[in-house]
Amino acid sequence: MLLGRVRVGRRTLSGIVEGDTIHIVRGGLFGRLERTGESFTAREATLLAPTAPTKVVAIGLNYRTHLGDDRDAPGNPEPFLKAPSSVIGAGEPIVLPADAGRVDEEGEVVAVIGRRARNLTEDQVDDYVLGYTGGNDVSARHWQRDDLQWWRAKSADSFTAVGPFIATDLDPERIGLRVSVNGEVVQQATTADLIHSVRKCIAWISRSMTLERGDLVFTGTPGETRQLQPGDSVRVEVEGVGFLVNPVVAESA
């Protein structure tokens, strides 16, 4: 099943996605998914990020192909936080800050938490995950290198692209990921290649931090990332989810 969130006029609505149509449900995505009988096509509604999270937790250095030759694999998952204010949906622009220097895309598989989770074991994780979506952990490399903390390198406005939909029936150990910039494939992997599995990452986070429904867990990015330029188009394809496409623009004066 695919789930999504849209804006129609002044209303924010959630529903089940079937083809080009979203069938609206009562009570949002975390209830019984009872259809109201109302539906909209993609032309009639504005697609939003699939959740409005209280927090976004991302895992660093979780593919060996992203480590390079001079870094060892971390012994445990290495989470960091991204601000919810940085979240954008499919079609919204990634804005390059004027003074950021190099900014890269980082395509990732993202877990969507379905209910409050604390102190989970790995075999409990599936019961607390609503589904999976695509994500782009946009990263300002100079700020990441030079600042004491990653607060702006990872959380500048528009630096957390998510979507387009949530797929509820994916095997977290076998989710394919492909990232393209201007039609050229720049990253490709599967979650089978992760150093620390999706389930291990979520369980590890929940030992110290309560995850609320709608929260997002970015699971890591593979390979070498691509520097973004104004005019670029970035497409993150997560198998079973669809295409998260965002244009790249320069910050306006």
Side-chain angles (χ1 to χ4, degrees):
M1 182 184 296
L2 285 178
L3 305 175
R5 201 166 64 105
V6 294
R7 181 177 295 114
V8 179
R10 295 183 177 180
R11 295 187 297 164
T12 297
L13 304 169
S14 300
I16 299 167
V17 181
E18 295 177 345
D20 193 42
T21 302
I22 183 166
H23 299 272
I24 304 306
V25 297
R26 293 185 176 88
L29 299 181
F30 303 98
R32 297 173 59 185
L33 300 179
E34 179 183 357
R35 300 189 189 209
T36 66
E38 192 175 20
S39 63
F40 299 92
T41 67
R43 294 181 298 276
E44 298 170 324
T46 300
L47 188 62
L48 302 175
T51 71
T54 68
K55 68 183 76 65
V56 180
V57 190
I59 305 296
L61 304 176
N62 206 21
Y63 285 91
R64 295 186 188 280
T65 56
H66 190 61
L67 284 171
D69 297 330
D70 58 344
R71 289 184 289 190
D72 295 328
N76 290 305
E78 291 292 341
F80 58 90
L81 290 170
K82 292 171 67 70
S85 58
S86 66
V87 171
I88 60 172
E92 294 187 74
I94 296 168
V95 180
L96 304 180
D99 58 342
R102 176 170 178 151
V103 176
D104 284 16
E105 53 72 30
E106 290 193 11
E108 307 197 16
V109 174
V110 180
V112 182
I113 302 302
R115 59 192 178 108
R116 177 175 284 191
R118 182 76 167 97
N119 281 326
L120 301 184
T121 61
E122 290 183 43
D123 60 2
Q124 292 175 318
V125 165
D126 288 357
D127 291 335
Y128 289 80
V129 172
L130 176 65
Y132 295 89
T133 189
N136 190 345
D137 172 25
V138 183
S139 303
R141 297 303 188 205
H142 292 170
W143 288 349
Q144 194 174 0
R145 178 194 66 200
D146 297 337
D147 290 354
L148 181 62
Q149 300 289 338
W150 288 0
W151 67 280
R152 59 176 180 165
K154 294 287 190 174
S155 293
D157 290 347
S158 79
F159 273 24
T160 307
V162 186
F165 307 119
I166 300 168
T168 63
D169 56 355
L170 300 183
D171 176 358
E173 307 300 329
R174 295 288 186 275
I175 303 175
L177 170 69
R178 179 181 297 179
V179 185
S180 303
V181 177
N182 303 328
E184 178 187 354
V185 176
V186 296
Q187 293 180 282
Q188 190 164 351
T190 168
T191 53
D193 302 324
L194 288 169
I195 296 169
H196 302 292
S197 72
V198 174
R199 294 185 180 103
K200 180 177 180 180
C201 290
I202 293 173
W204 177 261
I205 293 164
S206 77
R207 288 175 57 182
S208 301
M209 178 182 294
T210 300
L211 293 167
E212 304 287 355
R213 69 181 190 179
D215 284 351
L216 302 173
V217 177
F218 279 61
T219 59
T221 199
E224 296 185 7
T225 58
R226 177 65 61 89
Q227 182 177 0
L228 299 178
Q229 304 290 345
D232 285 348
S233 176
V234 186
R235 186 175 84 166
V236 178
E237 177 186 359
V238 170
E239 183 180 8
V241 172
F243 305 114
L244 169 66
V245 182
N246 299 93
V248 181
V249 302
E251 183 179 44
S252 59

